[in-house]
Amino acid sequence: MSRQIRLNAFDMNCVGHIQQGLWAHPRDTSTGYTTLKYWTDYARRLEAGLFDGIFLADVIGIYDVLGGSYEAAVRGAVQVPVNDPMMLVPAMAAVTEHLAFGITANLTYEQPYLFARRMSTLDHLTGGRIGWNIVTGYLDSSARAVGLTGQMAHDDRYDLADEYMEVVYKLWEGSWEDGAVLRDRANHIYAEPAKVHPIHHQGRQYKVDAVHLSEPSPQRTPVLYQAGSSPRGRAFAAGHAECVFVNGQKMESVQEIVGDIRTRAVTQGRLADDVKLFLGATIVTGRTTKEAQEKFEDYRRYASSEAALVHAAASMGIDFDKFDLDEPVEAGNSAAIISNITAMNRAAGPRWTKRLLLEQMVLGSRQQPWVGSGEDIAERLIAWSDQAGIDGFNLSRTVVPECFDDIIEQVIPILQDRGVYKTAYSPGPLRQKLFGTPRLPIRHIGATHRTSVPTESP
Ligand SMILES: Cc1cc2nc3c(=O)[nH]c(=O)nc-3n(C[C@H](O)[C@H](O)[C@H](O)COP(=O)(O)O)c2cc1C
């Protein structure tokens, strides 16, 4: 039997996310991103259509790698201006009951003690619908913004992340025992101090001697997402991630990543199914193949090659202005997203050129769209799920909101007919919906920091 497919809308608190330039389409509404109404309408629409969640990217820093300047990024709204994704969550949660929120947060520039409380607050306010996409950044511009000369080396960022995770696990899982909160009005005892513990962390990067400020939230640790599949990224994912976000156009390469991450997770004492894999994809669909194709041709007229190149340069850490159109691009010692460079090498061979890259960016990014009727798209999603072991998809926005209406109207009913998509939400927090339990399983590294054994943990 096919596995159940999960769908997240993939967006960012800005107008130009992945498919650059489409914000200029006359039917696109994303310039409304600064208003609450934009996001509450968005959330209502996704929940009415039974989407699993909205996954919000976030990047600290500006894209100034191409030509050493941020001008093209600002001109083309390439992930700038960009507002804080966390602030959107309470508003969207207030108008929905089940929709999950995957929030990207860069751990490099924020103390774990402060961050842990913000996530606990969101987990409380959403009734346990929070996921955290753990990122460490890839831009020198973000490091310069906080007084450093450049970002940390690629693998060192993951070492920092390992220690950061240890601190937040201690705060979320270990500081307050189950049963610490009594709310005993008769005896004037809100919480039992003997069951609330300071954590004592003395590491290479962090020293924390503190009680977690929030009382335990429904999930305690938010559902942990990770994106980045360099060898060091995979090792990190295998230890911590419950959901891994991968990119890739070729089935064999994605199969390899999925298999490798699951195998690595098992060697760390976890089960292969403790990790769910989400593939990034862009869908353009309509009532017929012809209608979808026409829509794609229409969208395509608004895609911006300049903006797409700004984004690619920053995410790969390569200044493409230094290369002629037909000159092979040398990645050098990039400290940015290694898996993006690997994916390009796989797609176009190691001696790829700027011309080849531009040819790939048909809709404003390297992520080539799947264009077809609802039937065509449903077949593709099922094939990826069956053959590559993909559990779900992060669907990049194109022209909002119609891109999600199209998926809800044309694709989801077919997936439901095939028995691979829910017809109603199941109850409970996000982790319960994904894994059948609201708390981290006992075999997860985060659970080793507990001071009490939760009754519901498997
Ligand atoms: C699909 C995907 C989405 C990502 N989204 C973000 C993001 O929103 N913000 C961010 O700072 N980094 C993001 N990253 C960067 C990674 O989380 C990670 O820090 C970096 O990719 C290093 O990955 P690597 O192990 O592949 O080199 C993303 C990476 C991938 C592959």
Side-chain angles (χ1 to χ4, degrees), residues 234-266:
R234 293 181 196 195
F236 179 83
H240 301 282
E242 300 176 275
C243 300
V244 180
F245 179 16
V246 295
N247 268 336
Q249 313 276 340
K250 290 195 175 166
M251 183 82 77
E252 316 81 71
S253 30
V254 173
Q255 267 166 345
E256 187 273 320
I257 298 174
V258 171
D260 184 50
I261 289 175
R262 290 213 161 104
T263 307
R264 286 171 186 253
V266 170

Short mmCIF file of all heavy atoms in Angstrom, two decimals, residues 234-266:
data_model
loop_
_atom_site.label_atom_id
_atom_site.label_comp_id
_atom_site.label_asym_id
_atom_site.label_seq_id
_atom_site.Cartn_x
_atom_site.Cartn_y
_atom_site.Cartn_z
N ARG A 234 23.87 15.51 6.64
CA ARG A 234 23.16 14.23 6.81
C ARG A 234 23.43 13.64 8.18
O ARG A 234 22.54 13.05 8.81
CB ARG A 234 23.60 13.23 5.74
CG ARG A 234 23.17 13.63 4.35
CD ARG A 234 23.62 12.57 3.36
NE ARG A 234 23.59 13.08 2.00
CZ ARG A 234 23.64 12.31 0.93
NH1 ARG A 234 23.72 11.01 1.05
NH2 ARG A 234 23.61 12.84 -0.27
N ALA A 235 24.68 13.76 8.64
CA ALA A 235 25.01 13.22 9.97
C ALA A 235 24.19 13.96 11.03
O ALA A 235 23.66 13.34 11.96
CB ALA A 235 26.51 13.37 10.24
N PHE A 236 24.06 15.26 10.87
CA PHE A 236 23.27 16.04 11.82
C PHE A 236 21.81 15.60 11.76
O PHE A 236 21.16 15.38 12.78
CB PHE A 236 23.41 17.54 11.49
CG PHE A 236 22.62 18.43 12.40
CD1 PHE A 236 23.13 18.82 13.62
CD2 PHE A 236 21.34 18.87 12.04
CE1 PHE A 236 22.39 19.64 14.49
CE2 PHE A 236 20.60 19.68 12.89
CZ PHE A 236 21.13 20.06 14.11
N ALA A 237 21.29 15.47 10.53
CA ALA A 237 19.89 15.08 10.35
C ALA A 237 19.62 13.72 10.99
O ALA A 237 18.60 13.52 11.66
CB ALA A 237 19.55 15.03 8.86
N ALA A 238 20.56 12.80 10.79
CA ALA A 238 20.35 11.43 11.29
C ALA A 238 20.21 11.42 12.81
O ALA A 238 19.48 10.61 13.37
CB ALA A 238 21.51 10.55 10.86
N GLY A 239 20.91 12.33 13.48
CA GLY A 239 20.82 12.37 14.93
C GLY A 239 19.61 13.11 15.44
O GLY A 239 18.98 12.70 16.41
N HIS A 240 19.26 14.22 14.78
CA HIS A 240 18.26 15.12 15.36
C HIS A 240 16.94 15.19 14.61
O HIS A 240 15.89 15.34 15.22
CB HIS A 240 18.82 16.55 15.43
CG HIS A 240 20.07 16.68 16.23
ND1 HIS A 240 20.08 16.70 17.60
CD2 HIS A 240 21.37 16.78 15.84
CE1 HIS A 240 21.33 16.82 18.04
NE2 HIS A 240 22.13 16.87 16.99
N ALA A 241 16.99 15.17 13.27
CA ALA A 241 15.81 15.55 12.50
C ALA A 241 14.72 14.49 12.54
O ALA A 241 14.99 13.30 12.45
CB ALA A 241 16.20 15.83 11.06
N GLU A 242 13.49 14.96 12.65
CA GLU A 242 12.34 14.06 12.51
C GLU A 242 11.76 14.19 11.11
O GLU A 242 11.11 13.28 10.62
CB GLU A 242 11.29 14.43 13.55
CG GLU A 242 11.80 14.31 14.98
CD GLU A 242 10.78 14.78 15.98
OE1 GLU A 242 10.72 16.00 16.24
OE2 GLU A 242 10.02 13.93 16.49
N CYS A 243 11.99 15.32 10.48
CA CYS A 243 11.59 15.54 9.09
C CYS A 243 12.77 16.18 8.38
O CYS A 243 13.36 17.14 8.90
CB CYS A 243 10.40 16.50 9.00
SG CYS A 243 8.93 15.92 9.86
N VAL A 244 13.12 15.65 7.23
CA VAL A 244 14.23 16.22 6.46
C VAL A 244 13.69 16.72 5.13
O VAL A 244 12.93 16.04 4.45
CB VAL A 244 15.34 15.17 6.22
CG1 VAL A 244 16.48 15.78 5.42
CG2 VAL A 244 15.86 14.65 7.55
N PHE A 245 14.12 17.93 4.81
CA PHE A 245 13.65 18.61 3.60
C PHE A 245 14.77 18.49 2.56
O PHE A 245 15.86 19.01 2.77
CB PHE A 245 13.36 20.05 3.99
CG PHE A 245 12.89 20.94 2.88
CD1 PHE A 245 12.43 20.43 1.68
CD2 PHE A 245 12.89 22.32 3.06
CE1 PHE A 245 11.99 21.27 0.67
CE2 PHE A 245 12.47 23.17 2.05
CZ PHE A 245 12.02 22.65 0.86
N VAL A 246 14.49 17.78 1.47
CA VAL A 246 15.53 17.61 0.44
C VAL A 246 15.07 18.23 -0.87
O VAL A 246 13.88 18.34 -1.14
CB VAL A 246 15.87 16.11 0.20
CG1 VAL A 246 16.50 15.50 1.42
CG2 VAL A 246 14.66 15.31 -0.23
N ASN A 247 16.05 18.61 -1.66
CA ASN A 247 15.77 19.10 -3.00
C ASN A 247 16.39 18.13 -3.99
O ASN A 247 17.39 17.48 -3.67
CB ASN A 247 16.40 20.49 -3.21
CG ASN A 247 15.42 21.59 -2.87
OD1 ASN A 247 14.21 21.38 -2.91
ND2 ASN A 247 15.95 22.76 -2.55
N GLY A 248 15.88 18.08 -5.18
CA GLY A 248 16.50 17.22 -6.20
C GLY A 248 15.50 16.97 -7.30
O GLY A 248 14.29 16.86 -7.06
N GLN A 249 16.02 16.93 -8.53
CA GLN A 249 15.13 16.73 -9.67
C GLN A 249 15.18 15.27 -10.13
O GLN A 249 14.29 14.81 -10.82
CB GLN A 249 15.56 17.61 -10.85
CG GLN A 249 15.85 19.06 -10.50
CD GLN A 249 14.60 19.93 -10.45
OE1 GLN A 249 13.58 19.57 -11.02
NE2 GLN A 249 14.67 21.04 -9.76
N LYS A 250 16.26 14.58 -9.76
CA LYS A 250 16.43 13.22 -10.28
C LYS A 250 16.08 12.19 -9.22
O LYS A 250 16.60 12.25 -8.10
CB LYS A 250 17.88 13.01 -10.72
CG LYS A 250 18.23 13.79 -11.96
CD LYS A 250 19.53 13.29 -12.56
CE LYS A 250 19.78 14.01 -13.88
NZ LYS A 250 21.14 13.84 -14.36
N MET A 251 15.24 11.26 -9.62
CA MET A 251 14.75 10.24 -8.68
C MET A 251 15.91 9.49 -8.02
O MET A 251 15.91 9.30 -6.81
CB MET A 251 13.86 9.27 -9.47
CG MET A 251 13.22 8.20 -8.67
SD MET A 251 11.72 8.70 -7.81
CE MET A 251 10.49 8.71 -9.10
N GLU A 252 16.94 9.10 -8.83
CA GLU A 252 18.01 8.26 -8.24
C GLU A 252 18.78 9.03 -7.17
O GLU A 252 19.13 8.45 -6.13
CB GLU A 252 19.05 7.79 -9.28
CG GLU A 252 18.51 7.28 -10.59
CD GLU A 252 18.17 8.42 -11.53
OE1 GLU A 252 19.10 9.07 -12.02
OE2 GLU A 252 16.97 8.67 -11.77
N SER A 253 19.04 10.34 -7.42
CA SER A 253 19.82 11.05 -6.40
C SER A 253 19.01 11.24 -5.13
O SER A 253 19.55 11.15 -4.02
CB SER A 253 20.39 12.36 -6.91
OG SER A 253 19.59 12.92 -7.87
N VAL A 254 17.71 11.48 -5.27
CA VAL A 254 16.89 11.64 -4.07
C VAL A 254 16.77 10.30 -3.34
O VAL A 254 16.86 10.24 -2.11
CB VAL A 254 15.51 12.24 -4.44
CG1 VAL A 254 14.59 12.26 -3.22
CG2 VAL A 254 15.69 13.66 -4.98
N GLN A 255 16.60 9.23 -4.12
CA GLN A 255 16.56 7.88 -3.50
C GLN A 255 17.80 7.65 -2.64
O GLN A 255 17.72 7.14 -1.52
CB GLN A 255 16.56 6.80 -4.59
CG GLN A 255 15.19 6.34 -4.99
CD GLN A 255 15.25 5.54 -6.30
OE1 GLN A 255 16.25 5.55 -7.03
NE2 GLN A 255 14.17 4.85 -6.59
N GLU A 256 18.93 8.06 -3.20
CA GLU A 256 20.20 7.84 -2.48
C GLU A 256 20.22 8.62 -1.17
O GLU A 256 20.56 8.09 -0.11
CB GLU A 256 21.36 8.26 -3.39
CG GLU A 256 22.76 7.95 -2.86
CD GLU A 256 23.32 9.04 -1.96
OE1 GLU A 256 23.13 10.23 -2.26
OE2 GLU A 256 23.92 8.70 -0.93
N ILE A 257 19.80 9.89 -1.22
CA ILE A 257 19.80 10.73 -0.01
C ILE A 257 18.84 10.15 1.04
O ILE A 257 19.19 10.00 2.22
CB ILE A 257 19.39 12.19 -0.33
CG1 ILE A 257 20.37 12.84 -1.30
CG2 ILE A 257 19.29 13.02 0.94
CD1 ILE A 257 19.96 14.22 -1.80
N VAL A 258 17.65 9.78 0.57
CA VAL A 258 16.63 9.25 1.50
C VAL A 258 17.15 7.98 2.18
O VAL A 258 17.10 7.84 3.41
CB VAL A 258 15.32 8.94 0.73
CG1 VAL A 258 14.32 8.19 1.61
CG2 VAL A 258 14.69 10.24 0.21
N GLY A 259 17.70 7.07 1.37
CA GLY A 259 18.20 5.80 1.92
C GLY A 259 19.34 6.04 2.89
O GLY A 259 19.39 5.45 3.98
N ASP A 260 20.23 6.94 2.52
CA ASP A 260 21.40 7.20 3.36
C ASP A 260 20.98 7.82 4.70
O ASP A 260 21.48 7.41 5.76
CB ASP A 260 22.36 8.14 2.60
CG ASP A 260 23.64 8.38 3.37
OD1 ASP A 260 24.25 7.39 3.82
OD2 ASP A 260 24.02 9.55 3.56
N ILE A 261 20.08 8.78 4.67
CA ILE A 261 19.67 9.42 5.93
C ILE A 261 18.98 8.41 6.83
O ILE A 261 19.23 8.34 8.04
CB ILE A 261 18.79 10.67 5.66
CG1 ILE A 261 19.66 11.78 5.06
CG2 ILE A 261 18.10 11.15 6.94
CD1 ILE A 261 18.94 13.03 4.64
N ARG A 262 18.11 7.57 6.24
CA ARG A 262 17.41 6.57 7.07
C ARG A 262 18.41 5.57 7.66
O ARG A 262 18.32 5.20 8.84
CB ARG A 262 16.35 5.84 6.24
CG ARG A 262 15.17 6.73 5.89
CD ARG A 262 13.85 5.95 5.82
NE ARG A 262 12.72 6.86 5.92
CZ ARG A 262 11.96 7.25 4.92
NH1 ARG A 262 12.18 6.78 3.70
NH2 ARG A 262 10.97 8.10 5.11
N THR A 263 19.38 5.14 6.84
CA THR A 263 20.37 4.19 7.34
C THR A 263 21.19 4.81 8.47
O THR A 263 21.43 4.19 9.50
CB THR A 263 21.33 3.78 6.20
OG1 THR A 263 20.53 3.32 5.12
CG2 THR A 263 22.29 2.68 6.61
N ARG A 264 21.61 6.06 8.27
CA ARG A 264 22.38 6.72 9.32
C ARG A 264 21.56 6.85 10.60
O ARG A 264 22.09 6.73 11.70
CB ARG A 264 22.81 8.13 8.86
CG ARG A 264 23.92 8.16 7.83
CD ARG A 264 24.04 9.59 7.33
NE ARG A 264 24.98 9.75 6.25
CZ ARG A 264 26.17 10.33 6.36
NH1 ARG A 264 26.59 10.77 7.51
NH2 ARG A 264 26.93 10.49 5.30
N ALA A 265 20.25 7.14 10.46
CA ALA A 265 19.40 7.28 11.66
C ALA A 265 19.36 5.95 12.42
O ALA A 265 19.44 5.93 13.66
CB ALA A 265 17.99 7.71 11.25
N VAL A 266 19.27 4.85 11.67
CA VAL A 266 19.20 3.54 12.32
C VAL A 266 20.51 3.25 13.08
O VAL A 266 20.48 2.74 14.20
CB VAL A 266 18.90 2.43 11.27
CG1 VAL A 266 19.07 1.05 11.86
CG2 VAL A 266 17.48 2.62 10.73
#
